[in-house]
Amino acid sequence: MSAVHQALPASLTPSMRDVLRRMERAARTPLYQLGAAGARATYEAGAGVLEIPRQDLPRVEELLIPARDGAALPARLYAPAAHEQAPGLPLLLYLHGGGFTVGSVATHDLLCRRLAHLAGCMVVSLDYRLAPEFRFPTAHNDAWDALQWLAAHAAELGADAGRMAVGGDSAGGTLAAACAIEARDAGLELALQLLIYPGTTAHQDTDSHRRYAHGLVLDEPAISWFFAQYITEPEQREDWRFAPLLAPDVDDVAPAWIGLAECDPLVDEGVEYADKLRMAGVAVELEIYKGVTHEFVKMGRVIAEARTAHAHMAAALRDAFGLN
């Protein structure tokens, strides 16, 4: 994620333009030039700089969720009420973004707290394993294993297994979309898939990838580097667990809320995925936030559209969970 010297899109909001100019003046080394460990440390250090204030919650707990290979995956549970005060809360499994290479429960802590508070639901944020140490399809398998475990253990956590959703941003949105397909195939009913600027294509060849290749928060060199960490063989790009647009069918998957940034390399593939779902008869609510870039939902302190998106996400969750 980087910025370079060049003209910015005319449609950017003044606040978004100011963020990008400040990034440019800071002249930090791009993540893709730091190696995986350096990129993670840098992303962690900057993750909360532009975010909304920390939402205090009555219940925040650390979990360990077993994966199929015996690994214990750290996760964090957020709830807007104590266990004994609100048994049977609906539950959202949240999968963070970061190109399958960076990001963590910590980098998305403030966003998950916000969603739990606004939506009135439990949120479980997962630390799935990252590339290049763990390559495709480990992140997908971890996410799907966690969703199944949460469904099986919902009552112990104070959640309602009959009201579950899966969501995430960027690469996490990819994982969430693929988990929704897995859930359909396994007969696990989900109330919603919450997809925030998800990656859905096998190859980054849409018009928006060309139009927004440089100068914004997420650029072409970063995308190429992230995917090179995660994908080991060219044919893996054609696997729908990496590129949900290539799923043979998406009939009967969970209803979707899809939130996209207008000035984002991923915007076209997000629209294409919304169209694929709609053509299969899936209910889709699509929001395209004008004048903002990838990562904007984590900039709520300075970007008004982020706060609007938070409210829209919460409303979609509340509707799906029957809380309104």
Side-chain angles (χ1 to χ4, degrees), residues 32 204 209 218-228 237 265-266:
Y32 60 85
Q204 288 61 58
H209 274 281
L218 180 69
D219 60 11
E220 189 283 325
I223 294 170
S224 294
W225 180 74
F226 282 136
F227 292 165
R237 282 181 168 265
L266 306 189

Side-chain angles (χ1 to χ4, degrees), residues 1-5 18-34 42 215-216 219:
M1 300 178 187
S2 62
V4 298
H5 294 278
D18 182 60
V19 167
L20 293 171
R21 290 303 187 202
R22 280 189 279 162
M23 289 172 60
E24 184 179 49
R25 288 195 295 271
R28 294 188 179 91
T29 304
L31 296 188
Y32 60 85
Q33 294 179 3
L34 296 174
T42 298
L216 303 179
D219 60 11

Side-chain angles (χ1 to χ4, degrees), residues 78-81 83 85-94 119-124 147 150-155 157-167 183 187-194 254-255 314-324:
Y78 306 87
H83 190 165
Q85 294 174 334
L89 283 173
L91 186 153
L92 167 69
L93 170 63
Y94 193 86
C121 70
M122 184 180 295
V123 176
V124 174
L147 186 62
L150 289 168
H153 295 268
L157 298 173
D160 179 359
R163 292 187 295 168
M164 291 184 60
V166 64
L188 173 57
E189 186 173 350
L190 297 177
L192 189 71
Q193 50 179 317
L194 187 82
L317 288 165
R318 294 184 69 86
D319 284 345
F321 291 145
L323 296 176
N324 285 336

Side-chain angles (χ1 to χ4, degrees), residues 199-213 220 223-224 227 237-238 242-243 245-246 264-270 272:
T200 66
T201 56
H203 304 282
Q204 288 61 58
D205 54 5
T206 65
D207 183 60
S208 61
H209 274 281
R210 291 184 288 271
R211 193 163 65 249
Y212 302 120
E220 189 283 325
I223 294 170
S224 294
F227 292 165
R237 282 181 168 265
E238 310 298 323
F242 173 75
L245 265 172
L246 297 184
D264 181 359
L266 306 189
V267 64
D268 286 356
E269 63 200 80
E272 287 181 33

